[in-house]
Amino acid sequence: MTPDQFIAKWKSAELTERAAAQSHFIDLCRMLGEPAPTDVDPKGDWYAFEKGATKTTGGEGWADVWKRAHFGWEYKGKRKDLNAAFAQLQQYALALENPPLLVVSDMDQFRIHTNWTNSVSKKYEFKLEDLRDAKIREQLKWVFTDPERLRPGKTRQALTEEAAGEFTSLRSVCAIAATTRKPSLISSIASFFACSQRTWTFCRIRCSSACLNTLRPGQTNFRP
């Protein structure tokens, strides 16, 4: 199946999630040149439709598609809430052996959420028509073949250290500004860091500098 054939077929489809999910996934596999679950694992031991899973909140459920050490995949009907689908999939993640990728789709949109431990989560998002782009199809193929290619570059520890570094720099400069009482310097500091909510949070929690008491996120005016 070519990308244009896949797009044409599913753009016009108005089936429910239950009626369309497996057919959509099989067509996607054909377009990407990947085997569908029943082609390679008829017992469903490591690659399966309707993989049973216990929710972290209790009770039983099913992930629409699961491939061990690759992904859990949840479908919703067209124009349904994909955030709800992701939340549902997160409840299954532990029972699915914590796959590195959590994918949700309403057949018009695709969202790939990374799920590695100690890594900053990243979301890859694209629409049905984007599948004409070879680079988008390559990213989607990695979901099936090489999830590591989608792993974010930063760990949570690295992100924390980066934010702490920003805070340290800001605190040092603010101390100078508060001492000198130069409005132009404080205004410049505020302008530079106004876009960083993360840095502002660090400052509010950990810094008692008189200078910071004059600043708010997005504000650049000095208040004596």
Side-chain angles (χ1 to χ4, degrees):
M1 176 174 276
T2 67
D4 283 333
Q5 289 172 333
F6 181 85
I7 292 166
K9 176 177 178 177
W10 290 103
K11 187 174 183 178
S12 60
E14 291 292 341
L15 299 171
T16 64
E17 172 194 342
R18 182 179 295 273
Q22 292 191 16
S23 179
H24 183 274
F25 189 83
I26 290 170
D27 281 350
L28 188 65
C29 289
R30 300 291 181 258
M31 184 193 69
L32 295 172
E34 291 297 319
T38 52
D39 295 334
V40 291
D41 185 16
K43 293 183 178 181
D45 291 333
W46 55 271
Y47 188 18
F49 289 117
E50 295 293 320
K51 177 65 175 179
T54 301
K55 299 178 182 179
T56 54
T57 55
E60 300 297 318
W62 292 266
D64 289 323
V65 198
W66 167 76
K67 187 175 184 180
R68 177 177 288 143
H70 287 72
F71 62 81
W73 193 302
E74 187 69 24
Y75 275 103
K76 288 294 180 186
K78 285 194 173 184
R79 296 173 292 280
K80 299 297 184 180
D81 186 357
L82 290 183
N83 291 327
F86 178 52
Q88 181 178 340
L89 195 52
Q90 286 179 303
Q91 294 179 29
Y92 302 150
L94 288 178
L96 298 176
E97 303 175 23
N98 212 27
L101 302 174
L102 300 176
V103 186
V104 294
S105 175
D106 67 354
M107 294 167 281
D108 275 340
Q109 301 178 74
F110 300 82
R111 294 179 187 172
I112 303 167
H113 298 263
T114 63
N115 188 48
W116 275 276
T117 302
N118 196 36
S119 288
V120 177
S121 182
K122 183 174 182 178
K123 179 172 68 175
Y124 300 85
E125 187 170 9
F126 47 90
K127 297 183 180 299
L128 182 64
E129 290 81 2
D130 295 331
L131 293 173
R132 293 189 175 92
D133 187 332
K135 291 183 178 179
I136 295 296
R137 295 198 303 276
E138 182 179 47
Q139 283 186 342
L140 191 53
K141 191 175 178 69
W142 288 339
V143 173
F144 293 80
T145 62
D146 193 3
E148 284 289 331
R149 300 290 293 269
L150 299 171
R151 183 195 283 266
K154 287 185 179 180
T155 64
R156 289 191 176 94
Q157 181 178 351
L159 188 64
T160 300
E161 291 173 353
E162 179 182 300
E166 289 181 3
F167 162 72
T168 300
S169 298
L170 176 59
R171 183 172 60 179
S172 297
V173 178
C174 276
I176 297 171
T179 301
T180 60
R181 305 290 289 178
K182 289 185 177 180
S184 60
L185 179 55
I186 295 178
S187 180
S188 296
I189 295 167
S191 296
F192 184 77
F193 286 100
C195 63
S196 178
Q197 185 64 40
R198 178 181 62 213
T199 301
W200 174 252
T201 300
F202 266 79
C203 294
R204 286 292 301 275
I205 293 173
R206 300 183 58 188
C207 186
S208 59
S209 167
C211 171
L212 290 178
N213 291 333
T214 71
L215 306 179
R216 297 293 181 271
Q219 179 179 325
T220 61
N221 293 327
F222 170 71
R223 292 201 320 240

